[in-house]
Amino acid sequence: MDDAPPLPEFSYVAGYPPKIKDTLDPGQSDSAVYMMNAIKEGTIRVSAIQVSYTDSKDNVLLNSSEPFDIVINPKSVADLAIRMEVPGPLPLGGTGMANISIENVGKAPATRIEAKGDIKPPVGLEASGFERSFFEIPPGGEVNYSVMLSGKDSGNYTIHLKTTFDGGDGSAIREGSAEVVVLKREYKYEYLLLLIPIIIIAAWLYRRHREYKY
């Protein structure tokens, strides 16, 4: 048998070169089994395999198979999507919860997930419970947790989450962010301060009016 050379899209684990019997009696058969690993995705064209043999009358004969295609799909890997739901504007000194969801939208399990967060600017807004670890998130699965936020100083802040994981084809990183606003301190009676000058002026005008009247 004249076998085609190994296909470059595969690495051969066993079975090449083929070992076929030198003689086959009537009714007998033989086969060659290959063990291969696909190293490149796409459609691979396998050419015809030709077999030459000699019959009982020493006639040299030839036969061949039909060519065919092998489709190699892309390797299944994990992919994480991060969603962050933050509270509305926080009052100064107030607290609120940020809800975080990490979903595996890939086709393979994500493992050794490490989630770490930070806040920019780093002062004025505090968070507890940002760092989490998860052993595995299966395809289509998700994990959820909450982070306590505390507004220490007014301003606009960005909370940022960085997640590292093993996606089945090496390590990968996914990130997400959201904006949080901490309001300024409110003074319930500060509007009265605006009325004081008006009251003083009105009193002075009233007094002058009475003086001129007499």
Side-chain angles (χ1 to χ4, degrees):
M1 183 177 99
D2 295 327
D3 187 28
L7 300 171
E9 296 82 5
F10 297 90
S11 62
Y12 287 73
V13 178
Y16 192 88
K19 297 179 180 180
I20 302 296
K21 294 179 179 179
D22 294 332
T23 302
L24 290 176
D25 294 330
Q28 286 187 326
S29 64
D30 199 3
S31 62
V33 178
Y34 300 99
M35 293 182 62
M36 305 179 294
N37 289 326
I39 58 176
K40 184 178 179 181
E41 63 185 63
T43 301
I44 311 302
R45 184 69 171 177
V46 180
S47 303
I49 305 298
Q50 293 187 341
V51 178
S52 60
Y53 59 96
T54 303
D55 63 10
S56 59
K57 298 181 180 179
D58 293 332
N59 296 316
V60 178
L61 303 176
L62 184 67
N63 202 350
S64 64
S65 65
E66 294 293 332
F68 61 94
D69 293 333
I70 299 176
V71 178
I72 303 174
N73 294 322
K75 185 176 181 180
S76 296
V77 295
D79 191 15
L80 297 184
I82 299 173
R83 298 190 304 275
M84 305 178 69
E85 297 180 359
V86 298
L90 294 176
L92 190 63
T95 60
M97 301 296 292
N99 299 315
I100 298 174
S101 298
I102 304 175
E103 181 183 6
N104 184 358
V105 295
K107 297 182 178 180
T111 58
R112 294 181 293 183
I113 302 102
E114 298 286 341
K116 296 182 179 181
D118 57 32
I119 299 175
K120 296 180 180 179
V123 295
L125 182 68
E126 296 181 353
S128 59
F130 243 140
E131 297 188 3
R132 298 294 179 93
S133 298
F134 305 97
F135 177 72
E136 179 179 296
I137 304 177
E142 70 177 68
V143 293
N144 302 277
Y145 66 98
S146 297
V147 175
M148 176 67 74
L149 302 176
S150 178
K152 299 300 182 181
D153 194 8
S154 62
N156 296 337
Y157 301 90
T158 300
I159 58 175
H160 179 261
L161 185 72
K162 180 178 180 181
T163 303
T164 59
F165 64 99
D166 188 339
D169 193 23
S171 60
I173 298 175
R174 295 293 181 270
E175 299 176 88
S177 61
E179 301 294 325
V180 177
V181 176
V182 179
L183 300 175
K184 295 181 179 179
R185 186 182 301 277
E186 294 184 1
Y187 295 93
K188 295 182 179 180
Y189 304 106
E190 62 182 0
Y191 67 92
L192 294 177
L193 298 177
L194 299 176
L195 296 178
I196 293 175
I198 298 175
I199 294 173
I200 293 174
I201 293 173
W204 181 80
L205 291 175
Y206 177 74
R207 181 178 180 183
R208 297 284 293 177
H209 172 74
R210 294 193 62 182
E211 288 177 357
Y212 282 116
K213 184 176 180 181
Y214 292 106

